[in-house]
């Protein structure tokens, strides 16, 4: 065969061997950059949106009086009786204040006033993340202690051995794992607002999901969406439905049946969505939205040893996992029960568990402490994201524009057709949920203002409570001011990958939510 003399003709071999010149790919910003972009937008809003405030009413349990605060911060003590509430058109029962169910300041309807604008400048923009970290210090300490404890358990090989056993048990019925974990987390979300506490589960459950053949997105969706669907369709959650119902002047049991039906149907829709995704990825792994990241995710979470002896499920490893595992039902008992635990108590619980595991591990004192500190350092980025997210609310509060947004919302829905009123209210609560991600904060601020508007359009106030729950919960799927960025940082997944995965489901759940609110107006 003659040698190819034509320089313009390229052989197949040359094409294969020729290195492909890769074009630089766009790299999506980190969670910190996303948060700073949102923080910058919030800062700019304080220059655009007029500042304003409602008068607020708070119950002083020590003096047993109501304290009214005006736009300038002046206070007035008033008798703690129903007459004081009625005169200010606050339909909340007196008992809700006295019993401590309503702790935050209540906006007084009809008292909104413009105040001089307080636009936030460059110094405020820079200081806000620092203040956010300071304000979130209890959650941050919990995350760091949790990281230390997980580092200890990993060092002992207990996770590795336990995952090996669990993988064999669920073989052939892996999706049952998704259903069980999703259902348990959703149950916690709907009953007592199980949300921030789920951060503890990712380092533990991510290896289990990966070992079961799922990608990282399935693990995130199972835990995060379980919590989100539970809190969105809240039934007895004291931080959402109970506070919102009390602030609307109704019993939280009103509308309960429709919320339970919505919870069940919403959970089924979400599980079917996750199942369909897992089915496609199992057929073709390249259809995973995190396909490019999976090697890094596996390296991060599956630090398995090839040594069979290292993966042997010894009595010591079983005992360490039992002690570690028992911390979670104890945490749920403390948070959900009358004990009234919050992050200080939860942190103390896991610190105690860490000390016990140190003694059981057989590690030297220096090695045990060093392992704990190394584990804590791996979650520093997650802890800081939680703090920086709080900076956005700090900017909005200092700029005094949250009340303006609420007043505009109330004005927008006044006098509307009932069904249009409910649909628009869902959308407006979704938007408010971006700027006021605290469920209890949004409830106490908005319900005294918005709930009475339902009377004018012949709608039940329980429908307004559902619109608030569904709207804020729906936006929590993606809002950077919530928990999603901390969750993604924990799992090692970027925000754009989550948006690609969740947006179709978000559209489905948005339509579903509005339909369920409409049905609640019919069958109330």
């Amino acid at each position: 065969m003659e040698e190819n003399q034509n320089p313009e003709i390229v052989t197949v071999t040359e094409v294969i061997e020729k290195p492909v010149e890769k074009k630089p790919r766009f790299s999506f910003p980190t969670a910190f950059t996303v948060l700073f972009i949102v923080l910058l937008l919030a800062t700019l809003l304080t220059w655009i949106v007029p500042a304003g405030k409602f008068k607020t009413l708070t119950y002083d349990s020590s003096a047993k009086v109501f304290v009214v605060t005006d736009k300038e911060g002046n206070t007035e003590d008033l008798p703690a009786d129903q007459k004081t509430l009625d005169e200010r058109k606050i339909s909340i029962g007196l008992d809700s204040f006295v019993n401590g169910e309503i702790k935050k300041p209540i906006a007084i309807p009809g008292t909104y006033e413009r105040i001089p604008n307080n636009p936030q400048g460059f110094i405020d923009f820079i200081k806000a993340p620092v203040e956010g970290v300071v304000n979130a210090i209890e959650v941050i300490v919990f995350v760091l202690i949790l990281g230390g404890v997980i580092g200890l358990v990993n060092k002992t090989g207990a996770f590795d051995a336990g995952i090996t056993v669990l993988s064999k048990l669920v073989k052939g019925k892996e999706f049952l794992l998704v259903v069980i974990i999703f259902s348990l987390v959703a149950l916690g979300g709907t009953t007592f607002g199980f949300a921030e506490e789920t951060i503890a589960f990712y380092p533990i459950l991510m290896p289990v999901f990966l070992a079961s053949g799922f990608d990282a997105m399935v693990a995130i969706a199972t835990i995060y969406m379980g919590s989100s669907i539970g809190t969105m369709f809240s039934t007895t959650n004291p931080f959402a439905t109970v506070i919102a119902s009390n602030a609307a002047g109704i019993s939280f049991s009103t509308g309960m049946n429709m919320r339970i039906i919505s919870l069940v149907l919403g959970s089924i829709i979400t599980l079917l969505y996750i199942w369909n995704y897992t089915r496609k990825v199992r057929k073709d792994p390249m259809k995973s939205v995190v396909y490019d990241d999976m090697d890094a995710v596996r390296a991060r979470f599956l630090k398995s040893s090839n040594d069979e002896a290292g993966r042997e499920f010894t009595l010591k490893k079983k005992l360490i996992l039992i002690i570690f595992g028992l911390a979670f039902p104890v945490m749920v008992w403390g948070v959900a029960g009358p004990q009234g635990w919050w992050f200080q108590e939860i942190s103390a619980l896991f610190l105690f568990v860490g000390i016990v595991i140190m003694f059981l591990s057989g590690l030297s004192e220096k090695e045990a402490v060093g392992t704990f500190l190394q584990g804590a350092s791996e979650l520093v980025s997650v802890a800081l994201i939680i703090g920086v997210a709080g900076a956005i609310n700090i900017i909005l509060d200092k700029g005094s524009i949250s009340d303006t947004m609420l007043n505009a919302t109330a004005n927008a829905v006044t006098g509307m057709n009932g069904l249009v009123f409910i649909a628009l209210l869902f959308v407006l609560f979704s938007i408010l949920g971006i700027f006021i991600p605290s469920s209890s904060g949004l409830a106490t601020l908005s319900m005294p203002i918005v709930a009475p508007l339902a009377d004018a359009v012949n709608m039940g106030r329980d429908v307004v409570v559902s619109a608030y729950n569904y709207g804020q919960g729906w936006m929590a799927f993606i809002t950077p001011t919530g928990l999603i960025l901390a969750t993604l940082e924990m799992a090692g997944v970027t925000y754009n990958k989550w948006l690609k995965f969740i947006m179709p489901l978000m559209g489905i759940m948005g339509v579903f939510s509005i339909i369920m609110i409409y049905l609640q107006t019919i069958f109330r």
Side-chain angles (χ1 to χ4, degrees):
M1 183 178 291
E2 293 183 1
E3 185 178 344
N4 178 20
Q5 300 296 323
N6 190 343
E8 295 182 358
I9 299 176
V10 183
T11 65
V12 173
T13 305
E14 288 172 329
V15 171
I16 293 174
E17 292 178 350
K18 185 179 180 180
V20 178
E21 187 176 332
K22 294 184 178 180
K23 294 181 179 180
R25 296 177 61 187
F26 170 75
S27 178
F28 195 82
T30 64
F32 285 100
T33 302
V34 172
L35 281 174
F36 270 95
I37 291 171
V38 177
L39 180 62
L40 177 61
L41 293 175
T43 305
L44 292 175
L45 279 177
T46 65
W47 290 79
I48 300 169
V49 178
K53 279 188 175 296
F54 285 96
K55 288 183 179 180
T56 60
L57 179 142
T58 311
Y59 178 67
D60 185 340
S61 57
S62 59
K64 291 184 171 46
V65 295
F66 284 129
V67 180
V68 174
T69 305
D70 64 17
K71 63 178 183 179
E72 296 172 348
N74 301 316
T75 61
E76 178 186 4
D77 292 348
L78 297 173
D81 54 30
Q82 192 63 46
K83 181 182 177 183
T84 299
L85 298 174
D86 293 340
E87 287 176 349
R88 283 152 188 82
K89 299 179 181 179
I90 297 175
S91 54
I92 308 171
L94 179 63
D95 289 345
S96 296
F97 290 97
V98 176
N99 296 337
E101 293 171 348
I102 302 291
K103 297 177 182 178
K104 295 187 177 182
I106 293 289
I108 301 175
T111 61
Y112 174 81
E113 292 183 82
R114 289 281 303 276
I115 62 174
N117 282 7
N118 184 27
Q120 301 296 286
F122 177 75
I123 299 299
D124 302 298
F125 173 80
I126 295 298
K127 283 175 59 180
V130 179
E131 293 181 48
V133 170
V134 171
N135 292 345
I137 193 64
E138 289 187 355
V139 183
I140 290 172
V141 169
F142 163 66
V143 170
L144 296 179
I145 290 176
L146 174 67
V149 176
I150 290 171
L152 285 169
V153 179
N154 268 327
K155 184 72 172 179
T156 64
F159 275 149
D160 193 15
I163 290 167
T164 301
V165 172
L166 185 61
S167 298
K168 294 176 181 177
L169 291 175
V170 301
K171 192 171 184 179
K173 42 185 182 289
E174 289 85 359
F175 198 74
L176 183 61
L177 181 70
V178 174
V179 174
I180 292 172
I181 293 174
F182 179 96
S183 300
L184 290 174
V185 177
L187 183 63
T190 192
T191 53
F192 66 91
F194 194 54
E196 289 92 344
E197 298 86 352
T198 58
I199 290 173
F201 288 85
Y202 291 96
I204 307 151
L205 292 177
M206 185 67 79
V208 176
F209 277 89
L210 296 177
S212 300
F214 298 113
D215 69 4
M217 193 58 74
V218 174
I220 298 169
T222 301
I223 302 169
Y224 187 80
M225 289 307 297
S227 170
S228 296
I229 292 296
T231 52
M232 179 178 180
F233 301 112
S234 170
T235 51
T236 62
N237 178 2
F239 306 108
T241 299
V242 174
I243 285 182
S245 298
N246 287 337
I250 60 174
S251 168
F252 74 90
S253 62
T254 307
M256 178 75 73
N257 292 338
M258 286 303 295
R259 291 187 197 114
I260 292 173
I261 294 171
S262 299
L263 171 66
V264 174
L265 294 178
S267 296
I268 292 172
I269 291 170
T270 306
L271 284 170
L272 286 174
Y273 184 85
I274 298 172
W275 175 80
N276 186 57
Y277 173 80
T278 61
R279 183 178 57 84
K280 289 192 297 185
V281 172
R282 284 189 185 279
K283 286 183 179 179
D284 182 3
M286 292 188 71
K287 289 187 176 179
S288 166
V289 296
V290 290
Y291 178 77
D292 295 338
D293 303 322
M294 283 308 296
D295 287 342
V297 171
R298 289 190 184 98
R300 178 177 178 178
F301 289 102
L302 292 179
K303 302 174 182 178
S304 301
S305 169
N306 293 322
D307 179 15
E308 288 294 329
R311 287 185 281 139
E312 184 182 353
F313 207 19
T314 62
L315 178 62
K316 182 176 75 174
K317 292 176 182 176
K318 291 178 183 176
L319 185 59
I320 287 172
L321 282 184
I322 289 171
I323 292 172
F324 181 70
L326 283 175
F328 291 90
V330 172
M331 176 184 72
V332 172
W333 167 80
V335 172
Q339 295 72 230
W341 282 15
W342 200 231
F343 281 101
Q344 284 191 22
E345 291 80 7
I346 297 173
S347 298
L349 168 66
F350 277 92
L351 180 60
F352 172 74
V353 168
I355 293 171
V356 173
I357 291 174
M358 281 186 185
F359 283 106
L360 292 174
S361 66
L363 300 172
S364 68
E365 180 269 339
K366 285 187 178 180
E367 192 175 11
V369 173
T371 300
F372 183 90
L373 295 176
Q374 177 64 31
S377 70
E378 292 180 1
L379 294 189
V380 166
S381 61
V382 177
L384 291 177
I385 283 173
I386 293 170
V388 173
I392 297 163
N393 296 320
I394 290 171
I395 286 290
L396 294 174
D397 286 342
K398 287 187 176 180
S400 300
I401 63 175
S402 297
D403 283 15
T404 300
M405 294 177 182
L406 175 59
N407 185 62
T409 299
N411 291 336
V413 297
T414 301
M416 279 189 171
N417 169 273
L419 296 180
V420 177
F421 168 82
I422 289 301
L424 185 58
L425 209 55
F426 170 83
V427 174
L428 292 173
F429 274 125
S430 300
I431 295 170
L432 287 172
I434 300 174
F435 301 102
I436 312 172
S438 165
S439 57
S440 59
L442 181 57
T444 53
L445 181 66
S446 66
M447 280 300 145
I449 307 299
V450 179
L453 300 177
D455 303 337
V457 294
N458 197 29
M459 286 284 175
R461 294 188 178 192
D462 59 297
V463 178
V464 178
V465 172
S466 292
Y468 143 79
N469 264 334
Y470 300 176
Q472 188 191 44
W474 181 70
M475 186 54 68
F477 291 4
I478 63 169
T479 180
T481 54
L483 284 174
I484 186 58
L485 290 183
T487 295
L488 296 174
E489 182 71 16
M490 183 77 79
V493 173
T494 53
Y495 187 49
N496 62 317
K497 302 285 179 66
W498 171 252
L499 292 178
K500 184 178 180 180
F501 171 83
I502 203 64
M503 290 308 288
L505 177 61
M506 192 172 182
I508 294 168
M509 294 305 297
V511 174
F512 169 75
S513 298
I514 293 175
I515 290 172
M516 295 309 294
I517 297 171
Y518 279 157
L519 291 176
Q520 188 171 339
T521 66
I522 296 171
F523 296 108
R524 55 183 292 265

